[in-house]
Amino acid sequence: RRSSDLSKFHVFLEFTVEPKATGYLISKGGRKKDRYWALNLHKNGKVQFVHKLVGIAKQQSVIVTKRSLTKGKTSQRFSFSLTVDGSKVSTAYTDARGKVRTFSTILEGSVDDCTTPGDDCRLHVGQHAEFRGKAGTLDSGCITEASLVLDKP
């Protein structure tokens, strides 16, 4: 089941990344390339929210952190949250120095999602669904806590 009413959820992650780490922190989608949304640590060190909008098959993406999380010479630990409320996306994270940083943006439509766990609706922590024999994983990092809370319509 997919609906704009389902586009209300919160993600919380605790993770540590090494300098220049890249890859998927968390994603939600089916067994193959069907992905509703994901948080990806981009090669520039910023977190990217990859998503589909309701009624649009093509995936879109938006950078949801202003700063790189992978600059520096040592590993860094982060507490990170993402809130999606229809087309509004907000993030907050605590950096290695304990400073809270926030970001928010409005998308062109509501984020698509699924609710019934099964072959077409799975939560992937530290990776995205396998596609062409490969699963995009987080390299040079460790996720120590992950939670997803769906707001009930």
Side-chain angles (χ1 to χ4, degrees), residues 2 9-11 14 23 33-34 42 46 57-58 61 69 76 87 92 98 104 132 142 145-146 148 150:
R2 301 176 192 185
F9 57 90
H10 309 276
V11 175
E14 291 271 347
K33 66 178 182 176
D34 189 26
H42 194 266
K46 296 179 181 179
K58 185 178 178 185
S61 65
L69 304 189
Q76 297 184 59
S87 62
S104 65
R132 294 185 181 153
C142 180
E145 186 175 338
L148 168 64
L150 301 174

Side-chain angles (χ1 to χ4, degrees), residues 8-58:
K8 296 181 181 185
F9 57 90
H10 309 276
V11 175
F12 176 76
L13 298 168
E14 291 271 347
F15 60 92
T16 302
V17 289
E18 299 292 328
K20 299 185 181 180
T22 61
Y24 284 82
L25 299 167
I26 191 168
S27 70
K28 193 167 181 197
R31 288 184 299 179
K32 300 292 180 185
K33 66 178 182 176
D34 189 26
R35 179 176 47 215
Y36 294 101
W37 57 262
L39 288 172
N40 178 38
L41 191 56
H42 194 266
K43 64 184 176 184
N44 64 11
K46 296 179 181 179
V47 177
Q48 181 179 41
F49 180 58
V50 181
H51 58 281
K52 286 185 187 177
L53 299 178
V54 173
I56 300 173
K58 185 178 178 185

Side-chain angles (χ1 to χ4, degrees), residues 75-111:
S75 63
Q76 297 184 59
R77 183 172 177 79
F78 296 94
S79 295
F80 188 95
S81 69
L82 168 87
T83 298
V84 174
D85 187 352
S87 62
K88 183 177 181 183
V89 176
S90 304
T91 58
Y93 68 95
T94 304
D95 66 17
R97 295 182 182 151
K99 182 165 182 156
V100 176
R101 304 199 180 267
T102 61
F103 177 85
S104 65
T105 190
I106 302 293
L107 305 175
E108 295 177 14
S110 293
V111 175

Side-chain angles (χ1 to χ4, degrees), residues 62-81:
V62 62
I63 299 292
V64 293
T65 56
K66 293 179 184 174
R67 298 173 181 254
S68 171
L69 304 189
T70 60
K71 284 189 176 178
K73 297 180 181 180
T74 61
S75 63
Q76 297 184 59
R77 183 172 177 79
F78 296 94
S79 295
F80 188 95
S81 69

